Amino acid sequence: MKISQTTNISKISNTNQTSINQNFDEILKSEIRYAKLENDMQDKIKAFKSSLSSLGAFGYLSSLNEQKIDEKIEQKRVYLEEVLGLNRNKTQDEKEQILALISDLLSEYKHKLQEQTKQNNTINEKQNELNKVATFTNIANLISKL
């Protein structure tokens, strides 16, 4: 009876040790992933600060808007190439015509996006002005009540 109890205890002990090792490995992997994510975030923050300080707030936002416009244009290019069948069997002349059409469409699309950005900026500026006026009005009302 003692031998079987000792064997069972050693089995339980080995199982517990394996479980502890697996838990430790999982925790370690989790912490390593977290550290990598934190380092990546710190790198992104440094890049943001650097861009902001070199370009200024307006320049940074303009750059960000241009990046967004470029991304949308690239997505549109891929879409148009697929829809217009640029990658299908076409003669060189047909491909040139399709590319010219795509170029014209993308140019119009870019102009449209830039106009929307200008309109959004104008709306935001007017909203900020209205918020300032409302704030001053509220302060004036509070002062007059005192």
Side-chain angles (χ1 to χ4, degrees), residues 10 17-18 30 40 53 70 75 100 104 109 121-122 138 142:
S10 68
Q17 188 63 34
T18 303
S30 174
D40 290 345
S53 64
D70 290 342
Q75 290 172 351
D104 291 343
Y109 184 62
N121 288 341
T122 304
N138 289 338
L142 288 173

Side-chain angles (χ1 to χ4, degrees), residues 30-31 90:
S30 174
E31 289 299 317
K90 302 279 185 187

Side-chain angles (χ1 to χ4, degrees), residues 89-100:
N89 293 335
K90 302 279 185 187
T91 65
Q92 187 62 28
D93 188 44
E94 290 174 329
K95 285 183 180 182
E96 289 175 7
Q97 289 175 354
I98 291 172
L99 286 172

Side-chain angles (χ1 to χ4, degrees), residues 14-42:
N14 287 340
T15 303
N16 286 340
Q17 188 63 34
T18 303
S19 176
I20 290 170
N21 287 342
Q22 287 175 343
N23 287 338
F24 177 77
D25 289 343
E26 289 173 13
I27 292 169
L28 183 61
K29 287 178 186 176
S30 174
E31 289 299 317
I32 290 171
R33 271 188 257 123
Y34 177 75
K36 286 181 182 177
L37 289 174
E38 191 162 322
N39 285 340
D40 290 345
M41 185 59 71
Q42 291 299 325

Side-chain angles (χ1 to χ4, degrees), residues 53-77:
S53 64
S54 67
L55 298 174
F58 182 75
Y60 179 79
L61 288 176
S62 295
S63 172
L64 192 62
N65 285 336
E66 281 299 315
Q67 286 176 357
K68 288 180 182 179
I69 288 172
D70 290 342
E71 288 172 6
K72 287 183 177 185
I73 288 173
E74 186 56 33
Q75 290 172 351
K76 189 73 153 186
R77 177 189 318 280

